[in-house]
């Protein structure tokens, strides 16, 4: 957030990349039971959003 506020494009890109990689690791390490219960409920709205046609 600080990089964005400072207008530092390179640092903001690096921070965003780090955030996405960390999120992917957490998702990969999630208990499989999570994905059959609350994970599925969390993923459904995201999936809907990601599959919307771009205008």
């Amino acid at each position: 957030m600080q990089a964005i506020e400072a207008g530092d494009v390179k640092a903001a890109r690096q921070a965003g990349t780090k955030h996405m990689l960390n999120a992917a690791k957490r998702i990969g390490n999630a208990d499989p039971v999570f994905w059959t219960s609350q994970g599925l409920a969390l993923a459904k709205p995201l999936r809907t959003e990601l599959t919307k046609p771009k205008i």
Side-chain angles (χ1 to χ4, degrees):
M1 188 67 138
Q2 292 172 343
I4 294 170
E5 290 172 352
D8 187 338
V9 175
K10 184 177 177 181
R13 185 176 291 119
Q14 289 172 338
T17 299
K18 183 177 178 181
H19 170 73
M20 295 303 292
L21 290 172
N22 286 334
K25 286 178 189 176
R26 287 191 304 275
I27 290 168
N29 291 329
D31 184 345
V33 173
F34 170 79
W35 292 113
T36 60
S37 59
Q38 66 195 106
L40 184 59
L42 292 170
K44 281 183 179 180
L46 293 172
R47 185 178 203 187
T48 300
E49 187 65 31
L50 292 172
T51 57
K52 281 184 183 177
K54 305 284 187 224
I55 297 175

